Amino acid sequence: MERTLIIVKPDAVQRGLTGEIIKRFEQRGLKIVGMKLLQVSRELAEKHYDVHRERPFFTSLVEYITSAPVVAVALEGSDAIVAARSTIGATNPSEAAAGTIRGDYALEIGRNLVHGSDSVENGEIEVANFFTEAELCGGWTRDVDGWVFE
Ligand code: DAT
Ligand code: MG
């Protein structure tokens, strides 16, 4: 099973889209193993977006993600990384397909509502950056698992 970190970003929380966004991952079959509301610190934001440190949009990206509370969600599932990213849609919402979260609810790249890890390795790293082991319910049995996972 893969793990991915989803962040319901400040714009999504402010716009009252938290439930709508989490619902889409949940109904897809991905299993919630961690969830919390938090205000991301500058330190955590810079760590999370370290790969973009040299990009011109880095400062505004850190400002954005730290500007108001977010909901962090750790999801588990077969192919969780690719599945979550296809549910999220293209980075630039103006190019995101209708039916994806960004394609349905966003217009601009700097207000693209949601983050999803981009690789199995980064999924593990990002979940560990946002959650302590004690905050995760790693091994819980979901009764419908046999109807979602073959
Ligand atoms: P994604 O969030 O789809 O994984 P990413 O990891 O390439 O995209 O970039 C992280 C965030 O940085 C993205 O959600 C929005 C912002 N971003 C990326 N490219 C950008 C650009 N060219 N101009 C402004 N912001 C950008
Ligand atoms: Mg990314």
Side-chain angles (χ1 to χ4, degrees), residues 50-109:
D50 190 55
V51 64
H52 298 300
R53 194 172 284 275
E54 305 305 327
R55 311 285 289 277
F57 55 83
F58 181 71
T59 306
S60 60
L61 189 56
V62 170
E63 291 291 325
Y64 164 47
I65 203 73
T66 59
S67 62
V70 304
V71 177
V73 187
L75 296 177
E76 209 170 76
S78 43
D79 277 324
I81 298 288
V82 168
R85 285 182 69 88
S86 66
T87 289
I88 291 168
T91 302
N92 190 341
S94 63
E95 292 162 11
T100 65
I101 294 166
R102 287 167 173 166
D104 286 351
Y105 296 110
L107 286 170
E108 296 189 13
I109 198 165

Side-chain angles (χ1 to χ4, degrees), residues 114-127:
V114 58
H115 167 84
S117 307
D118 65 4
S119 68
V120 174
E121 189 194 5
N122 284 336
E124 293 294 331
I125 292 169
E126 292 176 359
V127 167

Side-chain angles (χ1 to χ4, degrees), residues 133-148:
E133 206 44 56
E135 288 173 328
L136 297 168
C137 294
W140 75 284
T141 302
R142 190 176 55 173
D143 290 345
V144 300
D145 276 355
W147 301 103
V148 178

